[in-house]
């Protein structure tokens, strides 16, 4: 039998402890599958005395991640601490610089330093594997990086944040407010004590930036993403969407257009009969549209110790099975010098359908005025609905919902500004983009 693959695990939290337990419990099966044993040669975390639910008594403990990454005995450094900065950044850099393969689940690190790390890996011949960094257990990195080689990709989009999807699903099912659903998500451990990073869309943006690079062969541009979170989504929006045959999801979308690549994260209306609309709760989904394969949609667990450790384990197994001297798979699908600069398509030029919800004072001529403002911008309407239970003119504000056919963001913004200036709106208008799967 070939020599064991010696791995060091930095971080023994939700994912790291699951990984250590699976490696221990499934040692025999993994040895058979990989053709060699995988052994844990060293570990580190903050608290040495914490019970990790797995026996690590025979494993060397390192005082810090850098010391583990510098261990001469190591074949693979597995980074499961998280965070874009140190200790993850320095430790991963140190491992790669010494030619030690790295496996990480850290999207924040890759979004901030992915290209720099890939460059070091290429120089030293180390592998940088990160399947768990996007959509947890769903093998989307491998699909884009390896399986779909030769495909020209036109769009990648998905539900990549379980917290947001859980909140939106609960709002729809139970008719609860955003705030109530967020509290429930926190109580169940789906949302952090400070949930801003999830609900404002930043977490999805990190993941999207990695997918964009893999899909379009561009350098990562995590700061160049149009971002809208879900905090403005009300129960009225969700109900109106349902009445019109849509569901609201927080999507990350990367799309090739004539003026560049759109990277956007925002609440999105998807047709209720599309598969992605059925993805509920903390489940994730990623769709990839390409010329040869067509549409690929992957749905599965996007988080959790076991699901994430499964993806980490897959990356480790790939290294265990790799033949010495074989060509490495480049971290972002092609050599770093072949990555092209990211050219951003401005959101104002986005073309698509829109849902617009307006609350208006109830007076004659408002309906006609709205229709005129839309027509002036050459916006063609799929539907225009006045929602009122018992309509008594002049008594209370009315809600008007418009759904447009494909139009430009510029036109919608101009029409909404004109409508605002008319003086009959109550509160801010709500505008939600509509995304249609290729087949719908
Ligand atoms: P976690 O439960 O918070 O665990 C983090 C681990 O890192 C802990 O063991 C902690 O030590 C250790 N750590 C933190 N700072 C450290 C430092 N300065 N030096 C040494 N060790 C340190 O996090 P997690 O949920 O397992 O996530 C780990 C990574 O996986 C992150 O990059 C995350 O984004 C990614 N990920 C997680 C999930 C998921 O469902 N959890 C899904 C996809 C990707 P102590 O235990 O001693 O405090």
């Amino acid at each position: 039998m070939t020599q064991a693959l010696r791995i060091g695990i930095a971080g023994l939290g939700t994912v790291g402890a699951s990984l250590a337990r699976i490696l221990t419990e499934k040692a025999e099966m993994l040895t058979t599958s990989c053709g060699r044993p995988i052994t844990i040669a060293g570990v580190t975390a903050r608290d040495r005395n914490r019970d990790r639910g797995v026996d690590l008594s025979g494993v060397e403990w390192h005082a810090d991640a850098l010391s583990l990454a510098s261990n001469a005995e190591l074949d693979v450094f597995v980074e499961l601490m998280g965070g874009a900065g140190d200790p993850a950044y320095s430790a991963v850099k140190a491992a790669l610089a010494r030619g030690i393969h790295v496996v990480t689940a850290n999207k924040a690190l890759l979004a901030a330093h992915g290209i720099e790390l890939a460059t070091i890996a290429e120089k030293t011949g180390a592998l940088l594997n990160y399947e768990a960094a996007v959509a947890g257990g769903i093998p989307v990195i491998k699909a884009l990086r390896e399986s779909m080689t030769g495909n020209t990709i036109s769009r990648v989009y998905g539900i990549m944040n379980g917290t947001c999807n859980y909140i939106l699903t609960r709002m729809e099912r139970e008719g609860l407010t955003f705030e109530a659903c967020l509290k429930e998500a926190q109580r169940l451990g789906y949302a952090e004590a400070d949930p801003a990073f999830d609900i404002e869309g930043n977490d999805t943006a990190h993941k999207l930036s990695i997918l964009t690079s893999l899909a379009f062969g561009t350098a990562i541009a995590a700061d160049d993403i149009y971002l809208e979170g879900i905090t403005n989504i009300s129960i009225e929006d969700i109900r109106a969407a349902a009445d019109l045959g849509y569901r609201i999801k927080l999507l990350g979308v990367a799309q090739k257009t004539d003026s560049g690549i759109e990277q956007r994260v925002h609440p999105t209306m998807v047709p209720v009969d599309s598969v992605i609309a059925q993805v509920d709760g903390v489940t994730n989904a990623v769709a990839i549209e390409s010329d040869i394969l067509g549409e690929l949609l992957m749905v599965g667990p996007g988080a959790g110790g076991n699901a994430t450790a499964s993806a980490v384990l897959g990356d480790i197994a790939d290294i265990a099975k790799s033949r010495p001297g074989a060509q490495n798979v480049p971290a972002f699908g092609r050599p770093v010098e072949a990555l092209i600069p990211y050219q951003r398509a401005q959101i104002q030029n986005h073309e698509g359908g829109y849902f617009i919800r307006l609350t208006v004072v109830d007076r004659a001529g408002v309906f006609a005025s709205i229709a005129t403002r839309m027509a002036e911008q050459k916006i063609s309407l799929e539907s225009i609905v006045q929602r009122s239970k018992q309509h008594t003119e002049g008594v209370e504000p009315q809600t008007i919902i418009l759904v447009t056919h494909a139009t430009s963001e510029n036109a919608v913004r101009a029409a909404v500004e004109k409508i605002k200036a008319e003086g009959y709106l109550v509160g801010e208008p709500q505008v939600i983009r509509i995304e249609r799967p290729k087949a719908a």
Side-chain angles (χ1 to χ4, degrees):
M1 182 164 296
T2 354
Q3 241 187 359
L5 185 83
R6 293 150 305 181
I7 69 165
I9 308 175
L12 294 168
T14 308
V15 184
S18 285
L19 176 69
R21 188 179 38 73
I22 296 166
L23 284 169
T24 311
E25 287 173 2
K26 299 210 160 190
E28 206 178 307
M29 178 188 173
L30 285 164
T31 304
T32 309
S33 161
C34 297
R36 60 199 285 204
I38 298 172
T39 57
I40 307 176
V43 292
T44 188
R46 272 179 305 213
D47 182 353
R48 186 173 185 167
N49 299 317
R50 184 173 294 173
D51 179 11
R52 309 288 172 178
V54 51
D55 183 10
L56 294 169
S57 50
V59 178
E60 188 179 354
W61 178 273
H62 287 257
D64 58 62
L66 204 52
S67 128
L68 177 60
S70 312
N71 179 357
E73 302 294 310
L74 229 52
D75 297 310
V76 185
F77 177 68
V78 184
E79 187 281 305
L80 297 171
M81 298 176 291
D86 284 335
Y89 173 56
S90 293
V92 165
K93 239 166 77 160
L96 292 173
R98 294 184 53 239
I100 293 173
H101 304 303
V102 166
V103 173
T104 179
N106 190 340
K107 59 251 162 185
L109 176 72
L110 292 163
H113 306 292
I115 301 301
E116 181 196 358
L117 297 174
T119 307
I120 302 171
E122 257 172 49
K123 274 195 194 126
T124 62
L127 279 160
L128 174 58
N129 286 352
Y130 51 88
E131 185 62 72
V134 180
I138 301 176
V140 60
I141 304 297
K142 198 166 191 133
L144 282 169
R145 197 162 85 159
E146 297 169 52
S147 318
M148 291 183 69
T149 304
N151 278 268
T152 300
I153 290 162
S154 49
R155 180 168 63 158
V156 183
Y157 63 95
I159 298 170
M160 293 178 269
N161 184 275
T163 308
C164 290
N165 208 44
Y166 172 82
I167 292 171
L168 293 171
T169 305
R170 285 292 303 245
M171 285 175 77
E172 185 186 356
R173 283 200 192 146
E174 329 272 335
L176 298 171
T177 61
F178 170 81
E179 289 75 19
C181 294
L182 173 59
K183 276 208 183 94
E184 182 67 359
Q186 285 171 320
R187 192 182 66 77
L188 292 169
Y190 296 149
E192 305 282 336
D194 176 6
F197 205 71
D198 288 321
I199 62 177
E200 300 295 352
N202 305 80
D203 174 73
T204 302
H206 279 163
K207 295 167 183 167
L208 184 68
S209 71
I210 296 169
L211 295 187
T212 304
S213 173
L214 287 165
F216 302 113
T218 55
I220 289 181
D223 296 330
D224 234 354
I225 297 183
Y226 177 80
L227 205 58
E228 260 178 50
I230 61 166
T231 52
N232 275 341
I233 297 299
S234 69
I235 194 68
E236 286 79 33
D237 296 321
I238 288 182
R239 285 197 188 120
D243 288 352
L244 293 162
Y246 294 95
R247 283 205 168 120
I248 300 177
K249 300 287 180 191
L250 181 80
L251 292 193
V253 186
Q255 182 173 15
K256 206 181 248 176
T257 74
D258 291 343
S259 59
I261 293 167
E262 284 181 2
Q263 285 193 107
R264 45 192 170 87
V265 175
H266 51 72
T268 311
M269 306 231 315
V270 288
V272 72
D273 55 359
S274 60
V275 181
I276 202 146
Q278 319 297 325
V279 175
D280 284 338
V282 291
T283 306
N284 278 199
V286 181
I288 307 169
E289 292 170 356
S290 69
D291 58 347
I292 309 176
L293 181 61
E295 186 179 15
L296 171 69
L297 179 69
M298 291 184 274
V299 179
N306 275 349
T308 312
S310 165
V312 173
L313 190 56
D315 279 346
I316 297 169
D318 273 353
I319 296 170
K321 291 174 188 174
S322 63
R323 281 168 287 119
Q327 181 81 28
N328 276 351
V329 181
F332 292 98
R334 53 172 83 180
V336 170
E337 66 170 25
L339 292 169
I340 54 174
Y342 166 75
Q343 190 193 339
R344 179 180 186 162
Q346 294 301 321
I347 193 74
Q348 287 85 345
N349 300 330
H350 170 69
E351 296 268 343
Y354 288 79
F355 161 100
I356 304 164
R357 179 171 61 82
L358 306 168
T359 309
V360 299
V361 292
D362 191 22
R363 68 171 188 234
V366 167
F367 209 72
S369 159
I370 292 170
T372 305
R373 293 305 179 203
M374 291 288 149
E376 281 168 2
Q377 297 300 327
K378 300 194 171 39
I379 297 172
S380 138
L381 296 176
E382 185 181 296
S383 60
I384 172 162
V385 183
Q386 185 157 9
R387 288 167 69 85
S388 88
K389 285 185 196 121
Q390 271 190 324
H391 184 227
T392 318
E393 191 166 311
V395 172
E396 57 183 28
Q398 299 292 311
T399 301
I400 294 178
I401 310 257
L402 306 113
V403 174
T404 78
H405 287 296
T407 184
S408 79
E409 178 109 3
N410 261 333
V412 169
R413 288 187 184 192
V416 167
E417 280 313 307
K418 287 266 174 63
I419 289 169
K420 277 166 95 172
E422 298 278 4
Y424 49 67
L425 284 191
V426 180
E428 278 297 302
Q430 174 69 291
V431 178
I432 302 177
R433 294 169 195 85
I434 298 172
E435 200 76 26
R436 293 184 191 282
K438 207 176 182 182

